[in-house]
Amino acid sequence: MNAVAQPHSERARPKDEEIERGSFAPDAPGADASKLVVATYNIRYGVGSHLIGGSLLRRVGRGRPKRRPRLVGQNVERAARVLSEGALMPRADIVAIQEADRGTIRAGGHHVALELARALGMNFARAHVETPRDTQPKKKKWWLDFEEHLTLGEEGDTGVAILSRLALSDAARIELPWRVCAWRPRLALAAVVPLGARRRLRVFDSHIDTHASVEGQLEQHSAVLARAGDACDDEPCIILGDFNTMTRRSCEAVRALLESNGFTSPLADDTATWRSGPLRHHFDWIFTRGLRVLRWGVARTRGISDHWPVWAEVEAMQPES
């Protein structure tokens, strides 16, 4: 059996620009694949799917914080099985994660991205969000105020991560513009993986602001597109993640913006990727450029998160001569 590299962190940059990297992939991975299964999953720090019900129980003092470490650990293991065992979806080669907490009280002290990468035998890169340490979260629109907040002054953080069975390079954080939620900044993460023997795939994992207007969300997507720039003219690209498209208008606006920049998505605008009780929304997306989508789907697992993993199998299109 091949040895497994121990994870490590790099802090060559200031803390607010930190990219954490680690590897649990085999020392001698198999040949580069020309077809890859990519997935996006807002894992909700592994706490479970009961967003609204859990919030109501906490408000009346009936939460169960002592079980949180065991619950989150079990849910990370369950997520790894969903993403690798092939029952609800093909085995994923690349996974974009949102709400990947590290050491937070709400995640029971777990490092969600690292533990998921270890369970999957993958490389990972993670960027964290700097939330204010001295300001309480403000009240939001009532239907957005069910989120469990980070505790004031705690050392943990949340963030986004990209996991890959193949080599993962050129990881870079992308700060997204915001005007509404100073207590919850948003960001995206870019990285590169090999695609076939001689090509590269650029991956952009975005977590777009729930509270922003449609115009504000488009401004955040534009920041990702600006970073993609001319690189996507020469190499295949994927933009995926939790876009928080809460209305039909926001779905249509995001699709129009990305399509005008050469990206396409196989997902219809009413594809359910999030649930809470009887409610369904299309929050999570996969857009590709320079790739052919062979098949796609939504893995409707239960209990791990209020989001479902969205996946697509892709292959590189032959460049025009």
Side-chain angles (χ1 to χ4, degrees), residues 41 43-48 68-84 97 99-101 107 110-120 163 303-305:
Y41 193 10
I43 199 167
R44 196 182 168 231
Y45 41 95
V47 77
R68 189 60 62 87
R70 179 173 57 87
L71 173 68
V72 173
Q74 291 173 343
N75 281 338
V76 171
E77 293 175 0
R78 292 179 60 205
R81 291 195 294 271
V82 170
L83 294 164
S84 64
I97 300 292
E99 296 192 16
D101 279 20
H110 286 272
H111 189 325
V112 172
L114 182 149
E115 293 172 30
L116 185 59
R118 178 169 55 203
L120 291 169
L163 285 58
I304 302 170
S305 170

Side-chain angles (χ1 to χ4, degrees), residues 190-245:
V192 173
V193 300
L195 180 61
R198 299 182 179 179
R199 306 192 72 182
R200 307 195 314 165
L201 173 63
R202 293 183 176 269
V203 181
F204 298 87
D205 174 11
S206 299
H207 192 191
I208 302 300
D209 194 353
T210 319
H211 317 93
S213 64
V214 172
E215 292 72 24
Q217 290 187 333
L218 295 181
E219 188 177 0
Q220 293 186 337
H221 284 292
S222 295
V224 177
L225 290 167
R227 181 65 67 92
D230 296 336
C232 290
D233 291 334
D234 302 321
E235 296 179 319
C237 290
I238 292 179
I239 297 177
L240 73 173
D242 177 5
F243 292 0
N244 276 311
T245 40

